[in-house]
């Protein structure tokens, strides 16, 4: 008999302790208390928490779970977990399964080994995790996962979730003030929403295992260009190979079981590169789900004999991977506030939010830039495959005309009619699909913005904390001014016109990859923070610190510690990459050069003995020998630079030296090794080539 397979609708979210399950399993009053906690952040009474915990445990145990874990997002950028079994000893050598409200609400992992950027000395290493009821608990690998925030005992934030939640509160409060000014009395909460598109590479595990660089650093530190790269552009949206398709199906299923709305999948531009996009959800959940997605991509790939590379630039000369952060703001009465709308009233409200975003991006561009700064992403930004390191905004030509009309007080003329802004409803200029600019770091796409600078491995949290906070700040300034006005409409127009005049330099609808744009951006006074070490120190500018403190998103100390962590992390990554290169060069590449050189010398000698012309063999031997000697010298230089970098105490100075000296020495070594690879037989080369890695899955 043919078996009927469960449908997606049947198993979607089956491993999530979601609203449906809670309604089913919790007494009504407890369910209501949880809803209040979710929406208003009011802590649960201990006895109520006990009931919730018990229901969670029963549900999880029925599904085979044996453990629970608080799941959190420390500053490492990946998630952390520590598992405890539900078991408690019972008489006669038996156990009972227990999970208390206390265990649900608070955990106490030893925080000493997580990065804190000098926030804590090791002797006061205690930290705690606190349940985030806005993100549903779930089961994975027989454990009940409880999403949590992570703080030190003295209250400093040690994670990426807490500031995100705080920034969401900030933007909600300020956006509501604006909505009230427009006469909205129904909305009680405003949410930011995010849909992150995730790019990745798949390589065959058998080749991956033969490359120390991939294993240790996630990217190839050596590798000559393959004869074919991505120039034919035959991979983008191409048909998906069976093995990859099997992986994708498996991945979708795993994600759906966890309630993650994995929606779109396709091949990307580079060979072996793919993308997955979910349906958008609130920022906090999107951040949690993106972490889970990255983790499950890696685990699921292994089941198919593949390795998923999330590094931003696994292969030189081939497009790297990014993550597009699609972002919008909506109210709980069902409006997308970045949708231009259909009435003059909606149009003006939309233009108000748009102007707040324009002003925010202009004033805080360095913050957005640094939210995408990492050693890995430095290979992409500004490298003609990803947006430049200069932050600008694309709003499309129609919207730009609307803004210009508003600024000049003239009528807006579209192809169909003339419109008086603020009086007439504008034409529907939503989602103009012909007018899509892929080169802009921050593009309006009809009813949302797409921030395109993030690297594939990044957590989306930092970007969204910054987006939310800068928009909260601008909305707050707007509300302060407008609430005082006697004539709202007049005051609003004056405010928008002034904002456009002062901040329109941030709008750029042209080609962001063109070299001329960098000159133009300079003329406009837009910062070009080329690398991580240029961008990250901007974090601590007094005006930025003041903004974060105003909205209680970060304290000054927390920003300083984050700055320190980012710079330290940069230096650590470069150090690890450099050491890996040295190891590979010494143990694999130089010995190969010596052997190949010796073989060539042997061939030359044999020919000489026979009296045959051996000019080719001699030439080849000399070339191999010269390159090998060059490599050995470059190894020496890199070695010195690494030691010098390690001796620098100050985090910023160390990171800067890594960029200016260590990184340059690495590139020099790589150039020589890649040249040697192109003339050595593949049989002799000690590791799989780019062709093996990119074209065999
Ligand atoms: P693209 O043309 O870039 O593929 P899509 O419409 O497919 O554009 O959207 C890409 C991503 O944007 C998806 O993850 C989608 O869910 C997300 N998205 C759509 N609307 C919103 C919104 N209002 N807020 C946040 N993200 C959104
Ligand atoms: Mg997109």
């Amino acid at each position: 008999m043919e078996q009927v397979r469960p449908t997606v609708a049947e198993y979607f979210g089956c491993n999530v302790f979601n609203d449906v399950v809670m309604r089913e399993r919790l007494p009504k009053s407890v369910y209501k208390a949880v809803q209040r906690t979710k929406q208003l952040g009011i802590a649960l009474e201990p006895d109520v928490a006990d009931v919730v915990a018990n229901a969670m445990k029963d549900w999880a145990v029925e599904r085979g779970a044996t453990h629970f874990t608080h799941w959190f997002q420390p500053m490492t950028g990946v998630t952390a977990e520590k598992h405890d079994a539900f078991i408690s000893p019972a008489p006669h050598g038996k156990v009972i399964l227990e999970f208390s409200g206390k265990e649900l609400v608070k955990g106490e992992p030893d925080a000493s080994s997580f990065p804190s950027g000098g926030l804590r000395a090791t002797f006061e290493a205690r930290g705690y995790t606190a349940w985030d009821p806005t993100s549903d608990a779930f089961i994975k690998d027989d454990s009940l996962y409880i999403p949590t925030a992570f703080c030190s005992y003295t209250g400093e934030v040690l994670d990426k979730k807490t500031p995100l939640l705080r920034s969401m509160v900030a933007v909600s409060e300020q956006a509501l003030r604006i909505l009230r000014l427009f006469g909205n009395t129904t909305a009680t909460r405003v949410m930011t929403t995010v849909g992150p598109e995730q790019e990745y590479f798949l390589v065959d595990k058998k080749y991956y295992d033969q490359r120390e660089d991939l294993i240790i650093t996630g990217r190839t530190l050596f590798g000559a260009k393959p004869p074919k790269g991505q120039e034919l552009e035959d991979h983008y949206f191409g048909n998906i190979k069976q093995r990859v398709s099997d992986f994708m199906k498996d991945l979708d299923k795993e994600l759906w079981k966890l309630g993650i709305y994995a929606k779109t999948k396709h091949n990307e531009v580079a060979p072996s590169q793919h993308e997955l996009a979910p349906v958008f959800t609130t920022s906090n959940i999107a951040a949690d789900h993106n972490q889970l997605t990255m983790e499950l991509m890696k685990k699921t790939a292994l089941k198919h004999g593949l390795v998923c590379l999330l590094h931003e630039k696994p292969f030189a000369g081939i497009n790297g991977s990014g993550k597009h952060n699609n972002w919008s703001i909506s109210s709980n009465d069902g409006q997308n506030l970045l949708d231009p709308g259909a009435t003059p009233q909606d149009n003006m409200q939309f233009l108000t939010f748009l102007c707040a975003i324009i002003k925010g991006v202009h004033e805080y561009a360095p913050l957005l830039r640094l939210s995408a700064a990492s050693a890995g992403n430095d290979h992409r930004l500004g490298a003609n495959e990803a947006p430049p390191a200069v932050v600008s905004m694309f709003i499309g030509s129609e919207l730009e005309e609307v803004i210009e009309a508003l600024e000049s007080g003239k009528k807006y003329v579209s192809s169909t009619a003339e419109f008086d802004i603020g009086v007439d409803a504008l034409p529907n200029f939503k989602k103009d699909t012909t007018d899509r600019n892929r080169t802009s770091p921050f593009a309006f796409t009809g009813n949302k913005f797409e921030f395109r600078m993030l690297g594939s491995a990044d957590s989306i949290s930092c970007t969204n904390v910054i987006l939310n906070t800068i928009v909260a700040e601008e909305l707050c300034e707007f509300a302060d001014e407008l609430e005082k006005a006697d004539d709202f409409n007049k005051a609003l127009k004056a405010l928008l016109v002034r904002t456009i005049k002062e901040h329109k330099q941030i709008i750029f609808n042209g080609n962001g990859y063109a070299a001329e744009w960098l000159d133009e951006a300079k003329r406009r006074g837009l910062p070009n923070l080329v690398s991580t070490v240029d961008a990250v120190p901007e974090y601590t500018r007094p005006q930025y610190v003041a903004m974060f403190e105003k909205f209680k998103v970060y304290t000054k100390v927390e920003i300083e510690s984050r700055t320190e962590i980012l710079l330290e992390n940069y230096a650590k990554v470069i150090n690890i990459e450099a050491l890996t290169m040295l190891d590979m060069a010494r143990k694999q590449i130089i010995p190969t050069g010596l052997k190949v050189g010796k073989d060539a010398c042997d061939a030359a000698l044999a020919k000489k003995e026979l009296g045959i012309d051996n000019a080719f063999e001699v030439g080849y031997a000399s070339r191999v020998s010269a390159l090998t000697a060059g490599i050995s010298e470059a190894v020496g230089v890199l070695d010195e630079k690494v030691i010098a970098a390690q001796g620098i105490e100050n985090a910023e100075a160390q990171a800067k030296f890594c960029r200016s000296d260590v990184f340059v020495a690495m590139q020099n070594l790589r150039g020589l090794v890649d040249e040697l690879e192109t003339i050595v037989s593949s049989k002799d080369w000690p590791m799989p080539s780019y062709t093996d890695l990119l074209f065999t899955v």
Side-chain angles (χ1 to χ4, degrees):
M1 220 174 73
E2 202 179 322
Q3 229 183 334
V4 182
R5 290 201 286 175
T7 66
V8 179
E10 279 162 351
Y11 66 78
F12 187 88
C14 66
N15 288 338
V16 186
F17 193 76
N18 56 23
D19 199 61
V20 179
V21 182
M22 277 190 253
R23 221 185 276 249
E24 245 170 51
R25 292 186 171 243
L26 297 176
K28 220 180 209 148
S29 61
V30 174
Y31 172 77
K32 280 205 177 127
V34 176
Q35 292 308 307
R36 266 201 309 278
T37 302
K38 267 184 149 175
Q39 265 153 39
L40 308 169
I42 303 164
L44 283 185
E45 295 294 327
D47 50 333
V48 179
D50 277 332
V51 179
V52 179
N54 199 52
M56 268 188 189
K57 180 216 52 183
D58 287 345
W59 170 82
V61 169
E62 282 164 31
R63 278 156 189 76
T66 54
H67 288 69
F68 70 92
T69 176
H70 276 203
W71 183 66
F72 56 104
Q73 298 172 27
M75 296 301 299
T76 53
V78 291
T79 57
E81 51 196 69
K82 177 184 144 217
H83 301 253
D84 280 299
F86 288 122
I87 59 164
S88 259
H92 315 299
K94 298 261 185 201
V95 294
I96 49 165
L97 303 181
E98 281 184 336
F99 183 47
S100 68
K102 226 172 105 198
E103 288 169 307
L104 165 65
V105 172
K106 194 167 174 183
E108 303 193 28
D110 178 357
S112 59
S113 296
F114 292 105
S116 78
L119 271 184
R120 286 162 299 122
T122 319
F123 62 87
E124 48 186 13
R126 294 202 316 155
Y128 68 92
T129 49
W131 179 35
D132 166 20
T134 63
S135 184
D136 292 330
F138 56 91
I139 299 173
K140 195 164 64 69
D141 286 336
D142 295 340
S143 275
L144 171 67
Y145 280 71
I146 297 145
T148 59
F150 180 41
C151 302
S152 78
Y153 250 92
T154 40
E156 286 95 5
V157 175
L158 298 173
D159 72 346
K160 297 196 175 225
K161 179 188 270 275
T162 313
L164 182 56
L165 290 169
R166 291 173 174 176
S167 73
M168 288 168 72
V169 171
V171 82
S172 178
E173 283 172 1
Q174 301 309 323
L176 280 175
R177 290 174 69 192
I178 299 289
L179 291 184
R180 295 284 180 266
L181 285 165
F182 277 92
N184 180 317
T185 52
T186 49
T188 54
R189 210 155 54 98
V190 166
M191 284 93 51
T192 48
T193 51
V194 175
E197 300 164 60
Q198 176 72 49
E199 292 182 339
Y200 60 97
F201 279 88
L202 290 175
V203 297
D204 197 314
K205 178 143 192 320
K206 107 178 155 243
Y207 291 128
Y208 171 92
D209 284 340
Q210 297 170 52
R211 297 221 34 149
E212 186 180 341
D213 48 4
L214 283 181
I215 292 171
I216 293 184
T217 71
R219 76 177 179 104
T220 56
L221 299 169
F222 300 110
K225 274 207 175 77
K228 176 182 163 179
Q230 62 193 51
E231 50 282 90
L232 295 179
E233 299 184 328
D234 50 355
H235 194 253
Y236 191 55
F237 283 20
N239 70 350
I240 301 173
K241 287 189 188 143
Q242 194 56 49
R243 194 167 170 204
V244 174
S245 168
D246 289 344
F247 156 80
M248 287 176 167
K249 277 191 252 177
D250 209 5
L251 175 63
D252 278 340
K253 206 165 172 182
E254 291 301 318
L255 295 172
W256 290 335
K257 283 198 237 164
L258 287 175
I260 297 171
Y261 297 99
K263 172 98 173 158
T264 311
K265 52 189 183 184
H266 61 78
N267 285 351
E268 259 302 326
V269 174
S272 285
Q273 191 185 33
H274 314 279
E275 181 184 298
L276 180 146
V279 179
F280 68 95
T281 173
T282 48
S283 312
N284 171 36
I285 314 258
D288 284 0
H289 283 182
N290 183 249
Q291 290 289 345
L292 281 171
T293 302
M294 291 195 284
E295 182 189 323
L296 284 167
M297 278 177 165
K298 289 189 168 172
K299 287 194 173 151
T300 309
L302 288 174
K303 289 194 213 156
H304 294 263
L306 298 166
V307 175
C308 172
L309 303 178
L310 289 172
H311 194 282
E312 292 86 351
K313 190 75 178 177
F315 306 100
I318 303 281
N319 270 11
S321 300
K323 175 141 54 194
H324 290 172
N325 189 81
N326 293 275
W327 171 89
S328 191
I329 320 175
S330 61
S331 54
N332 65 345
D333 61 351
Q335 297 180 67
N336 178 350
L337 303 177
L338 298 187
D339 191 320
T343 65
Q345 166 94 358
D346 286 346
N347 292 159
M348 285 313 281
Q349 185 182 299
F350 162 73
L351 288 172
T352 306
F353 279 93
L354 179 69
C355 284
I357 297 171
I358 290 171
K359 182 165 183 282
V361 174
H362 188 217
E363 289 180 335
Y364 299 98
L367 284 178
L368 283 171
R369 164 65 185 95
L370 73 86
S371 79
S374 69
N377 216 18
D378 277 359
H379 298 283
R380 291 176 65 243
L381 295 179
N384 282 346
E385 57 167 74
V390 180
V391 174
S392 66
M393 277 171 89
F394 168 87
I395 60 169
S397 50
E398 274 180 301
L399 207 47
E400 192 167 29
E401 283 163 20
V402 170
I403 290 227
E404 272 166 12
L406 184 62
E407 183 192 355
S408 64
K410 291 195 192 121
K411 287 194 169 178
Y412 163 58
V413 187
S414 93
S415 55
T416 48
E418 285 188 4
F419 304 88
D420 203 343
I421 294 165
V423 179
D424 301 324
L426 297 171
N428 193 357
F429 45 70
K430 242 178 93 169
K431 290 231 167 166
D432 183 346
T433 41
T434 55
D435 194 9
R436 294 208 59 168
N437 182 327
R438 311 296 301 180
T439 65
S440 174
F442 196 60
F444 184 67
T445 49
N447 57 5
K448 63 184 191 302
F449 273 97
E450 186 168 340
F451 180 67
R452 303 207 181 101
M453 288 178 119
L454 277 176
S456 47
D458 283 329
S459 154
I460 63 170
S461 294
C462 183
T463 285
N464 288 293
V465 169
I466 287 166
L467 271 174
N468 295 346
T469 314
I470 65 182
V471 172
E473 165 64 22
E474 304 305 352
L475 292 175
C476 177
E477 280 182 29
F478 281 15
D480 286 347
E481 185 169 331
L482 296 172
E483 280 165 359
K484 279 198 241 88
D486 297 322
D487 181 339
F488 172 68
N489 285 320
K490 213 170 127 199
L492 177 67
K493 263 202 177 165
L495 169 69
L496 297 187
V497 169
R498 194 179 75 229
T499 305
I500 294 165
K501 278 200 165 75
E502 287 171 6
H503 300 286
K504 65 180 178 189
Q505 304 94 288
I506 195 73
I507 299 170
F508 175 63
N509 286 340
N511 177 6
Y513 291 180
E516 303 86 73
W517 165 232
L518 294 185
D519 299 332
E520 168 66 17
K522 198 170 184 180
R523 273 194 296 279
R524 293 188 189 189
L526 302 179
N528 182 8
L529 301 164
V530 178
S531 79
T532 299
V533 299
D534 306 311
V536 171
E538 298 282 315
Y539 222 163
T540 51
R541 272 204 216 174
Q543 115 210 46
Y544 300 163
V545 172
M547 175 187 65
F548 286 122
E549 293 204 312
K550 173 172 167 188
F551 293 101
K552 302 195 167 45
V553 171
Y554 293 124
T555 62
K556 181 164 186 270
V557 176
E558 285 167 357
I559 294 179
E560 284 165 357
S561 80
R562 265 154 222 256
T563 308
E564 179 116 353
I565 290 171
L566 288 168
L567 290 168
E568 270 174 16
N569 191 53
Y570 177 85
K572 282 181 194 164
V573 169
I574 299 288
N575 183 51
I576 292 168
E577 288 185 348
L579 292 176
T580 307
M581 278 186 122
L582 288 172
D583 199 49
M584 291 170 80
R586 285 178 177 135
K587 296 198 177 126
Q588 296 185 282
I589 290 154
I590 292 175
T592 300
L594 289 174
K595 177 186 175 294
V596 172
K598 179 169 181 303
D599 290 350
C601 289
D602 289 348
L605 276 177
K607 280 198 169 175
K608 191 177 172 198
E609 271 172 27
L610 295 170
I612 303 173
D613 175 30
N614 66 357
F616 167 72
E617 285 75 8
V618 170
Y620 183 77
S622 318
R623 201 159 159 221
V624 170
S625 163
L627 277 171
T628 310
I631 289 167
S632 168
E633 206 173 301
V635 161
V637 174
L638 180 56
D639 200 22
E640 275 169 29
K641 297 289 185 191
V642 168
I643 292 167
Q646 286 167 349
I648 302 173
E649 287 277 330
N650 176 280
E652 184 173 338
Q654 188 185 44
K656 287 194 161 148
F657 183 82
C658 283
R659 171 78 187 179
S660 63
D661 285 65
V662 181
F663 186 65
V664 171
M666 284 164 61
Q667 280 175 310
N668 183 38
L669 172 58
R670 177 177 185 145
L672 295 165
V673 172
D674 290 356
E675 196 179 334
L676 183 63
E677 182 183 349
T678 57
I679 61 166
V680 166
S681 138
S682 52
K683 185 169 73 35
D684 287 324
W685 197 246
M687 65 197 84
S689 67
Y690 268 26
T691 301
D692 297 329
L693 290 165
L694 286 164
F695 295 98
T696 56
V697 167

